[in-house]
Amino acid sequence: MKHFLSSTLLAVIAAAALSAQTVPSGWKQRIDRSTSASDPDAAGTVKIVTAGKGFHVETPSAAVFWNPKNLASGNYTLKGTFTLNKPSGHTNFYGLVFGGSALEGADQKYTYFMVAQNGAWLVKTRNGGATSAAFKGLTGAARNGAVMNAAVKKPDESGKSVNTLEVRVGADKVDFVVNGTVVHSAPKSELATDGIWGFRSNHLLDINVEGLGVAKGA
């Protein structure tokens, strides 16, 4: 009887854990929990559900979302429209991921292009457990590499903001675009652009993602 009860309990726990990690069919998520005592995660589990032609996402902890079948190489444009449903308690970034590999393992790599509610954009690279600003010495950049730009829409009186982000990968350069405005261009040789694409939401955010996809050419 004890064995039966233990097995049943384990099955219930496993089912609950699986339910908490449910993502839309074909998609995966990787959670990056905060290790900062001064900037902790919120309570609760990461949530991503299909909503309309995209996703509704709530991230008490930061997370990356992707479908392993979503690969891009050569010249392409990755695009997505992000709606911040309500302001975060402080500045947190969200946006596109591209050039990804080994996203489930210790050797994960990707580049991410994001915006925040304060009107800044940011491009970072991840290599394993380390992250860094992709571009050094940009005029007006904060310590983390974020740059303010009027093209990034801030929350309106309702608390919402909508920003369309694009990564245009050409033969020789990569353009980073917010709402149709090129906020930065970089030599293609400086970035790994071939690989998995998806999106990232830092912690303490409630966002919607629509129109996420890749078109060949840039």
Side-chain angles (χ1 to χ4, degrees):
M1 180 63 71
K2 289 183 179 180
H3 176 73
F4 173 76
L5 291 175
S6 297
S7 298
T8 301
L9 180 60
L10 288 172
V12 170
I13 292 172
L18 180 62
S19 176
Q21 297 297 321
T22 296
V23 296
S25 179
W27 283 75
K28 294 180 178 291
Q29 67 182 28
R30 178 169 183 152
I31 298 173
D32 294 328
R33 302 194 186 280
S34 173
T35 58
S36 171
S38 62
D39 188 18
D41 291 337
T45 57
V46 170
K47 173 183 177 182
I48 173 173
V49 296
T50 301
K53 296 182 179 180
F55 306 104
H56 173 69
V57 181
E58 297 176 19
T59 49
S61 303
V64 173
F65 305 91
W66 75 97
N67 184 324
K69 294 182 179 179
N70 289 342
L71 301 170
S73 61
N75 298 352
Y76 65 86
T77 295
L78 170 62
K79 184 176 182 179
T81 297
F82 295 81
T83 299
L84 179 66
N85 293 312
K86 57 184 178 181
S88 178
H90 59 277
T91 301
N92 282 297
F93 288 83
Y94 52 93
L96 301 169
V97 166
F98 64 99
S101 63
L103 297 187
E104 294 185 84
D107 296 327
Q108 60 173 329
K109 294 181 181 179
Y110 58 85
T111 301
Y112 42 128
F113 172 42
M114 306 177 292
V115 294
Q117 66 192 35
N118 66 343
W121 63 268
L122 173 64
V123 180
K124 297 185 73 175
T125 58
R126 175 179 285 277
N127 189 343
T131 63
S132 62
F135 310 117
K136 310 296 184 182
L138 295 180
T139 301
R143 289 181 61 185
N144 66 346
V147 180
M148 303 295 293
N149 192 289
V152 181
K153 295 180 181 178
K154 300 179 182 180
D156 59 20
E157 293 181 356
S158 72
K160 290 188 176 184
S161 59
V162 181
N163 286 283
T164 297
L165 307 185
E166 297 177 63
V167 178
R168 299 173 183 170
V169 181
D172 301 310
K173 68 171 182 172
V174 181
D175 290 332
F176 296 91
V177 184
V178 180
N179 298 317
T181 297
V182 177
V183 296
H184 186 69
S185 296
K188 187 176 181 179
S189 59
E190 293 183 2
L191 298 166
T193 56
D194 291 354
I196 299 168
W197 55 265
F199 65 96
R200 178 182 172 91
S201 177
N202 283 357
H203 72 173
L204 312 180
L205 288 173
D206 182 328
I207 64 173
N208 280 28
V209 184
E210 295 182 312
L212 185 67
V214 161
K216 292 301 293 182

